[in-house]
Amino acid sequence: MNNKIILFCGPSGSGKTTISQYLLKNNSNLCFSVSVTTREMRANEKDGEDYYFITKEEFQRKMANDEFIEWEEVYSGIFYGTLKDEVQRIWAMNKHAIFDVDVMGGLNIKKQFGDKALSVCVMPPSIEILRERLIARQSETPDSLEKRINKALTEMGYSNQFERIIINDDLQDSCRLAQGMLDEFLES
Ligand code: 5GP
């Protein structure tokens, strides 16, 4: 099997996670690449499924050991990254790895994997709609909401560096579009 990588990137609240989850449910040849993070686990999350939750000290040790494909301080003091081992784990199962990472991380991974990777940027229809979605999600404090909005504005400026863009207005349409992009990429 020609193992590949599919990157779903975009601002927090753009819908990239929901689209990735849809593809995972409907394509048994895909496996989610679980990132490592130093942020606190949310009530609905599971260690080893949503993320590998580790301490900052552990994260730094892994950095020093060159264990990451890519890592980033996505928010001030909070680190995220993908371990080399994670992609090997997925490819060893003869599956393609699907990533849900931020824009800079996605561009970084695309640069390393070239034609083996498909980079897709998921964008909200507008920054106002993004704000509404983040508020509805109830996962943010007023301070973290503003941080996510500011980061989203920066990230939206990089969308033209992706191979494909999905403007996520209607989730069902976006999922269908994503499935089409996946099929085309895996056939190529
Ligand atoms: P959250 O805290 O909402 O789970 O994620 C915050 C942001 O970090 C999201 O945009 C998410 O996609 C991104 N992210 C998750 N894992 C990684 C990773 O391994 N590398 C990078 N650069 N970003 C990541």
Side-chain angles (χ1 to χ4, degrees), residues 10 12 16 35 39 42 51 70 72 74-75 80-82 100-102 105 137 148:
S12 180
K16 64 184 191 290
S35 296
R39 87 147 154 72
R42 296 179 188 141
Y51 286 103
E70 168 274 343
E72 213 185 320
V74 173
Y75 299 105
Y80 295 78
T82 301
D100 168 351
V101 295
D102 83 339
R137 197 163 87 172
R148 282 177 192 248

Side-chain angles (χ1 to χ4, degrees), residues 8-14 16-17 32-37 39-40 42 45 50-51 53 59 68 70-75 78-83 99-109 134 137 139-140 148 151 155:
F8 275 90
C9 308
S12 180
S14 62
K16 64 184 191 290
T17 306
F32 181 62
S33 166
V34 180
S35 296
V36 168
T37 184
R39 87 147 154 72
E40 300 247 319
R42 296 179 188 141
E45 290 179 325
D50 298 281
Y51 286 103
F53 294 92
F59 200 99
F68 286 106
E70 168 274 343
W71 66 268
E72 213 185 320
E73 187 176 359
V74 173
Y75 299 105
I78 307 180
F79 294 82
Y80 295 78
T82 301
L83 296 170
F99 283 67
D100 168 351
V101 295
D102 83 339
V103 162
M104 299 317 290
L107 289 173
N108 189 344
I109 295 165
L134 286 172
R137 197 163 87 172
S139 58
E140 309 307 320
R148 282 177 192 248
K151 181 171 156 59
E155 289 189 304

Side-chain angles (χ1 to χ4, degrees), residues 11-15 124-141 144-146 148-150 152 156 168-169:
S12 180
S14 62
S126 71
I127 204 77
E128 290 75 24
I129 290 178
L130 184 76
R131 183 184 288 276
E132 283 168 19
R133 285 183 187 166
L134 286 172
I135 291 171
R137 197 163 87 172
Q138 295 186 321
S139 58
E140 309 307 320
T141 62
S144 74
L145 177 72
E146 285 319 307
R148 282 177 192 248
I149 294 285
N150 284 334
M156 285 158 83
N168 182 22
D169 195 356

